[in-house]
Amino acid sequence: MQRSDISRRTVLAGAAGLATGAAVGLGRASAAPREPSAADRVTAITHVTVIDATGAPAKRDTTVVLRDGRILAVEPSRRIGVPAGAEVIDGRGRFLIPGLANMHNHTFDGEAIEPPLHIANGITTVRDMTANDDTSRWRREIEAGTRLGPRWTVGSPIVDGSPSLWEGLGAPYIAAATPEEGRATVRAQKDAGADFVKVYTRLSRPTFFAIADEARRQRIPFLGHVSDFVQLTEASDAGLASVEHLFQIWYDTSSREEELRRDITAVPIAGGEYNGWLNKMHPYEYAAARSYDRHKAAGVFARLARNGTRVTPTLVLHTFTDMPGDTPMNDPRYAYFPAATREFWAYALELIYLNGRTPEQDARGRELFERRLSLVNDLDRAGVPLLAGTDNGTSYLMPGFSLHDELARLSQAGLSTMRVLQTATVEPARYLGARDRGTIERGNVADLVLLDADPLRDIRNTTRINSVVVRGRVIGPTERQRMLADVKRAATAMPVPAQPKAATCPC
């Protein structure tokens, strides 16, 4: 018997097993036979170059067989036949990568905009950083199969100190003034179904550590901003699952840490003063960045890596906050967003980020951003796991599209294209404990992106999307373009609300 016949029979046997609910090396329990459905369709992507995100070299001229939302086979095309009746997608000249993840998202524009834009951009996993009714409902509908969208992980409302930076700004938050309130908040959010507790900037030291302890007791992750009153290494040792943004990393790595920490803890911050926090802290952050001590940083980063503390750099956010005057005003992708959103972006840019800004601040912002790029490179070299995220909800950051901008920024920071790809694939899967996602391997979930150009040659080629596969469902070029057109029409039709949207910020 020829080897290709053996491979083909293996795939057919696997397809037959999945059709009856039997386990085929996937750890699935057997079940009674069921009637064939659309999910039973076998799909074969043939003669494609597979970039499986494990770090292995690209696999050229490979056939990938899908069935019932899973990957049945990843084999050289010469060794495997196409199962009879399979839907065949010709992958010649194309590149297959795992579905992408945005690990720092805020829902802003509603169901006609956000879920389809994520999927059309190849994003099959989203971590939403603030609880809201929309994403909770979408997740239920997606899991039930009644809505097309990414897998959603949804956190608690922001848990901040008192006074909170969010007072009076319209976004959901919880002010925990005491350790007891912090512990009660953790328990309440776990009972409410939050996937994690999102901690914020102005939590007191006692309350921060009470939340950390209660999260450990309740076995729920806690993550987010490092409090102004807590060292990064202390937060990592306490179990902080991921550090969001780069604002508070500088202090632990500064040769002036003791002096600067004394200064920042004395800065008066009023309730609702999130932008005031940005402005008041900027001189100290800049001083910390300029006094960056590589030897000291190496010890800090080794500690993060040892603890498994992730960092989500959100470089596209820092591009905006460090250099707001460089924000493009004519990006054609803005057409996918309602006029109300675009008007608010412009309002926030002019009145919050540019108002009173001096040429000196612009120069310092450019320098600070270049230092952030070097910081990300140092984190990666030290083995700190990085997660790709954008902070959608901040002005001019866009669901779907901005994740690709983030990948380009990570490449600009000096990460290899494979490492950049892993920040949006295998690293999020590891963080989420999803062993069957993030790579292209037999038995894994069939969340995939088919590209028309090689992302290992240029990471910007992740935008050259031909098709997207979501849990085995193929969104081909025609359907994908129709999705984008529908989003654009929905955005055009949306009325401008009487009340403005909540303020945008790094959150």
Side-chain angles (χ1 to χ4, degrees), residues 19-159:
T20 60
V24 189
L26 307 182
R28 295 179 57 183
S30 59
R34 57 179 170 78
E35 291 297 318
S37 69
D40 295 323
R41 184 179 301 129
V42 178
T43 301
I45 305 172
T46 61
H47 304 290
V48 71
T49 296
V50 171
I51 301 169
D52 63 18
T54 65
K59 299 178 176 69
R60 303 192 181 280
D61 197 12
T62 298
T63 291
V64 179
V65 182
L66 316 175
R67 176 63 180 271
D68 196 22
R70 295 273 175 177
I71 299 171
L72 281 183
V74 183
E75 295 283 346
S77 296
R78 69 180 184 278
R79 288 170 47 184
I80 189 169
V82 175
E87 176 187 4
V88 178
I89 298 173
D90 187 355
R92 285 183 178 86
R94 298 192 174 102
F95 302 81
L96 194 67
I97 64 173
L100 302 172
N102 185 345
M103 296 299 284
H104 194 118
N105 183 76
H106 294 277
T107 298
F108 203 61
D109 278 308
E111 62 187 28
I113 307 294
E114 301 222 8
L117 278 186
H118 287 305
I119 293 301
N121 279 279
I123 298 169
T124 57
T125 298
V126 170
R127 185 176 68 169
D128 217 89
M129 302 304 291
T130 308
N132 62 82
D133 292 338
D134 283 344
T135 49
S136 297
R137 174 172 55 83
W138 299 344
R139 179 166 64 175
R140 291 193 299 271
E141 294 169 353
I142 290 165
E143 293 298 328
T146 59
R147 176 183 295 280
L148 179 63
R151 300 167 194 274
W152 234 288
T153 297
V154 184
S156 70
I158 288 168
V159 183

Side-chain angles (χ1 to χ4, degrees), residues 204-205 208-209 226-232 234-235 252 261:
S204 69
R205 279 182 65 85
F208 183 92
F209 288 114
V226 179
S227 165
D228 286 338
F229 312 104
V230 175
Q231 288 180 297
L232 171 63
E234 290 180 307
D252 281 57
R261 286 200 178 279

